[in-house]
Amino acid sequence: MSTGSGADSAPAPSTSTPEDPARSSKSSMFSSLKSRNYRLFFAGQVVSNTGTWMQRIAQDWLVLSLTGSSTAVGVTTALQFLPMLLFGLYGGVLVDRLPKRPTLLVTQSAMALTGLALAFLTLSGHVEVWHVYLAAFAVGIATVVDNPARQTFVSEMVGPDQLQNAVSLNSANFQSARLIGPAVAGLMITGVGTGWAFLANGLSFVAPITGLLLMRSRELHVVERAPRGKGQLREGLHYVAGRPDLIWTIVLVGFVSTFGFNFPVYLSAFADDVFHAGAGSYSLFNTLMAVGSLAGALLAARRGTARMRVLVAGAVAFGTLEIVAALAPSLWLFALLMIPIGMFGMTVNVTANSSVQLSTDPAMRGRVMSLYMMVFMGGAPLGAPIAGWITDAYGVRAGLAAGGVIAASAAVTIGLFLARVGNLRLSVGWHHGHPRVGLVPRERERLATAA
């Protein structure tokens, strides 16, 4: 793991060499689970993430039921991620200063209380749309600190050698819960109402809180915390500014997340307006997307490396598939397309996340990850209302297609720029009887020709 200031120029897509076995070899898919502390964390997150997905589905459907507006769903999503956009960098400064485990105990408890409050309002019949807006904003405030704290706490549980694997398994954890949460939420919404989904989410936080309390402090990898001082936010920004590899990763993730990841708006509108189906179909769309996302996360855990070319190719495929899905004529074709969309979307997410963490100095990781999460999650306050407006004005097909075009175009542009800076060219040929496409240095091509 690099702890220096970084390269002076934008990196070309990375390559592995036999002399670098740590980066070239594939890791065991579940190797980081050998750590007891990480097993406790992982198990608690399975339960909590399931509750989180139940609340997401119930929240979106409740807002759509109360207002009949896709724009209102977009506003709800925006309010949940707006705090990350506004205060995310300050959250990173706090995370670099504070002990991670006590911090997570506070943030997880706060989110549990928010879920329970929304459950009480809904079950008592007094819920109004502004209550949902307020709850979404409160969760967003807690997430400002919780998200970078959870991201950086992983390295304290497993150490640098298992960080790539643990990051991938965290994503697989989240997506496996996404398989269960929407399905259970759909049954609850149609059977007993949205309030019970909110209650289940509030109670689900008991699992991660218990896991944090049972961890052994002596088995954590000590990471020196940043002392309190002036200019730490500016220091974090300067650090990223001097690292083109971080900058271009974060820029690409910003385009994809802002314009391509507005699925709460798109999927609810496709279920309700295009295919005239109910909450069950909305739940199905989310579940199938989770199948693909889980496959993408497990493949990333197996892959063991985080390469820029994988990130760019994944973003191009993701955007292209969104365009295809926008044109899907039937419910079942649209639903099946959610699987590869989920897989390539998760490829982008995991590759970018692990790349940023692995190449960042541990003392700066909270601030860098807060910037990354601010872009990744904070893009929703900008993108979700735009997606909702396009959906209401021109139809959901236009909105989804526009998001795909922007994501794919950004990936192609950044990929071409990095290839130009790295003096690379596209190579198409055959390798052991199979087609092979890749980027090779122009200097290598000239030497081969001369030989």
Side-chain angles (χ1 to χ4, degrees):
M1 179 176 59
S2 172
T3 58
S5 59
D8 294 328
S9 61
S14 63
T15 58
S16 301
T17 64
E19 291 76 16
D20 192 10
R23 298 188 66 84
S24 62
S25 62
K26 292 183 179 179
S27 62
S28 171
M29 188 175 289
F30 303 103
S31 57
S32 55
L33 290 176
K34 295 176 183 177
S35 164
R36 177 184 180 274
N37 285 341
Y38 183 69
R39 286 198 304 272
L40 289 169
F41 178 84
F42 187 89
Q45 290 299 308
V46 168
V47 178
S48 178
N49 287 335
T50 301
T52 297
W53 276 110
M54 291 174 65
Q55 174 148 327
R56 283 192 180 187
I57 300 300
Q59 175 180 280
D60 296 339
W61 199 258
L62 177 60
V63 170
L64 194 63
S65 300
L66 290 172
T67 65
S69 169
S70 294
T71 301
V73 177
V75 169
T76 307
T77 303
L79 286 171
Q80 187 159 332
F81 296 117
L82 181 62
M84 181 63 73
L85 182 63
L86 297 177
F87 311 117
L89 292 176
Y90 296 98
V93 172
L94 288 174
V95 167
D96 278 338
R97 293 176 182 172
L98 298 173
K100 308 300 185 295
R101 188 158 59 132
T103 300
L104 287 171
L105 285 169
V106 173
T107 57
Q108 296 281 293
S109 299
M111 288 190 284
L113 292 174
T114 302
L116 293 174
L118 194 55
F120 172 77
L121 289 169
T122 307
L123 292 173
S124 64
H126 294 98
V127 70
E128 298 180 20
V129 69
W130 71 268
H131 293 142
V132 186
Y133 288 165
L134 183 62
F137 188 76
V139 169
I141 290 291
T143 302
V144 166
V145 176
D146 182 82
N147 212 302
R150 278 190 296 110
Q151 298 284 339
T152 55
F153 188 51
V154 172
S155 65
E156 295 188 22
M157 289 184 286
V158 303
D161 293 341
Q162 294 295 331
L163 181 59
Q164 159 82 15
N165 181 262
V167 168
S168 300
L169 287 184
N170 278 352
S171 298
N173 183 324
F174 190 68
Q175 298 307 323
S176 63
R178 189 178 180 181
L179 289 171
I180 303 170
V184 177
L187 293 174
M188 280 192 170
I189 292 170
T190 56
V192 294
T194 55
W196 293 100
F198 297 138
L199 179 62
N201 177 56
L203 296 176
S204 72
F205 284 96
V206 172
I209 291 172
T210 301
L212 288 166
L213 292 173
L214 291 176
M215 287 182 183
R216 296 171 182 164
S217 299
R218 66 180 182 275
E219 294 181 7
L220 294 173
H221 295 255
V222 178
V223 174
E224 184 178 354
R225 300 201 303 269
R228 185 181 181 87
K230 294 182 179 180
Q232 289 180 321
L233 176 58
R234 185 169 58 253
E235 181 185 7
L237 293 175
H238 286 167
Y239 178 84
V240 174
R243 295 287 304 276
D245 55 329
L246 298 179
I247 291 174
W248 289 113
T249 298
I250 292 172
V251 167
L252 178 54
V253 165
F255 274 102
V256 173
S257 63
T258 300
F259 300 102
F261 278 9
N262 294 301
F263 295 111
V265 178
Y266 298 140
L267 299 188
S268 59
F270 264 96
D272 193 45
D273 299 333
V274 177
F275 300 120
H276 308 292
S281 294
Y282 178 45
S283 180
L284 173 66
F285 297 156
N286 281 278
T287 300
L288 290 175
M289 183 177 291
V291 170
S293 299
L294 177 59
L298 291 175
L299 287 172
R302 181 73 174 173
R303 189 162 52 239
T305 57
R307 300 182 179 185
M308 191 67 184
R309 64 187 180 194
V310 174
L311 175 62
V312 171
V316 171
F318 172 79
T320 302
L321 285 166
E322 281 199 330
I323 298 170
V324 174
L327 304 174
S330 67
L331 184 149
W332 287 108
L333 178 58
F334 179 83
L336 289 175
L337 284 168
M338 293 301 102
I339 297 175
I341 286 176
M343 185 178 72
F344 285 107
M346 185 50 55
T347 297
V348 172
N349 184 6
V350 172
T351 304
N353 188 310
S354 55
S355 175
V356 170
Q357 288 209 56
L358 287 166
S359 60
T360 299
D361 190 318
M364 302 293 296
R365 192 171 286 149
R367 278 162 283 184
V368 174
M369 287 308 298
S370 69
L371 176 61
Y372 171 84
M373 296 309 301
M374 183 186 75
V375 173
F376 181 70
M377 300 177 62
L382 301 176
I386 295 173
W389 175 78
I390 294 175
T391 296
D392 285 339
Y394 302 102
V396 65
R397 293 186 184 275
L400 181 59
V405 168
I406 294 173
S409 299
V412 170
T413 302
I414 290 174
L416 291 174
F417 174 80
L418 292 177
R420 182 179 180 85
V421 170
N423 197 28
L424 304 174
R425 72 165 190 89
L426 183 66
S427 173
V428 180
W430 290 85
H431 183 71
H432 296 305
H434 299 285
R436 184 172 184 176
V437 180
L439 293 170
V440 297
R442 295 181 184 276
E443 182 65 28
R444 183 187 302 173
E445 179 190 25
R446 286 195 295 267
L447 290 175
T449 302

